[in-house]
Amino acid sequence: AESAAARAAAADASGAELASEAEQLRQRAAAAEEARAADVAAQEESRRLVGAERQRVAGMIYKEALQARTLEEQAAQLETLTAQLGEAQAAAAGRDEAIAQRRAMEESLAALSESRARDMDKILALDELLGEGRTSRLSLSAVLGCLSAVSRLSLG
């Protein structure tokens, strides 16, 4: 009976040992499952973080591309405005030159007008002298005609 009791005690000890080992295996399995779950969660978090970082980088790249395009558009606008400014300055210089030429022509015209007025005054003065000379000649002709008539009368 002792041996059966010893066997039963050994079996109980063996069962307790097995139960203890089974519990340890369950704990290890639970720990492994927790570790696997934590690993999966860490992988998911890592994927989420990588996705968020990709989106952030994509946003930065988009902004840089947009800024580059904006800068290119601004450079094109600046070139256009510079060309327009050059054309406006050339037109202004042409206008200034035309104004200077017009002033020079007006001065020349004024000088010609003054010269013409002086020439007209001289022509009028000469015309007056010619008129006086003609009147003098007519007077002399009349006097000569009278003298001629008087001398024919006195001789005749």
Side-chain angles (χ1 to χ4, degrees), residues 57-140:
V57 169
M60 287 173 47
I61 291 171
Y62 175 76
K63 285 180 185 177
E64 287 178 11
L66 188 61
Q67 287 175 347
R69 182 172 181 210
T70 301
L71 289 174
E72 288 171 1
E73 289 172 355
Q74 288 175 349
Q77 289 174 350
L78 184 60
E79 286 179 24
T80 301
L81 291 174
T82 301
Q84 289 175 351
L85 177 61
E87 291 170 5
Q89 287 175 338
R95 183 184 54 86
D96 291 345
E97 185 177 326
I99 288 172
Q101 287 177 349
R102 188 179 114 223
R103 284 185 185 146
M105 291 171 119
E106 287 173 349
E107 290 171 2
S108 295
L109 182 61
L112 282 172
S113 293
E114 288 176 22
S115 175
R116 184 171 181 256
R118 284 191 304 265
D119 289 346
M120 287 301 291
D121 289 341
K122 288 179 185 176
I123 289 171
L124 291 174
L126 285 174
D127 194 36
E128 192 176 311
L129 281 174
L130 284 174
E132 287 174 7
R134 189 175 291 146
T135 304
S136 295
R137 268 187 267 131
L138 288 176
S139 297
L140 281 175

Side-chain angles (χ1 to χ4, degrees), residues 1-10:
E2 266 185 43
S3 91
R7 278 191 211 156

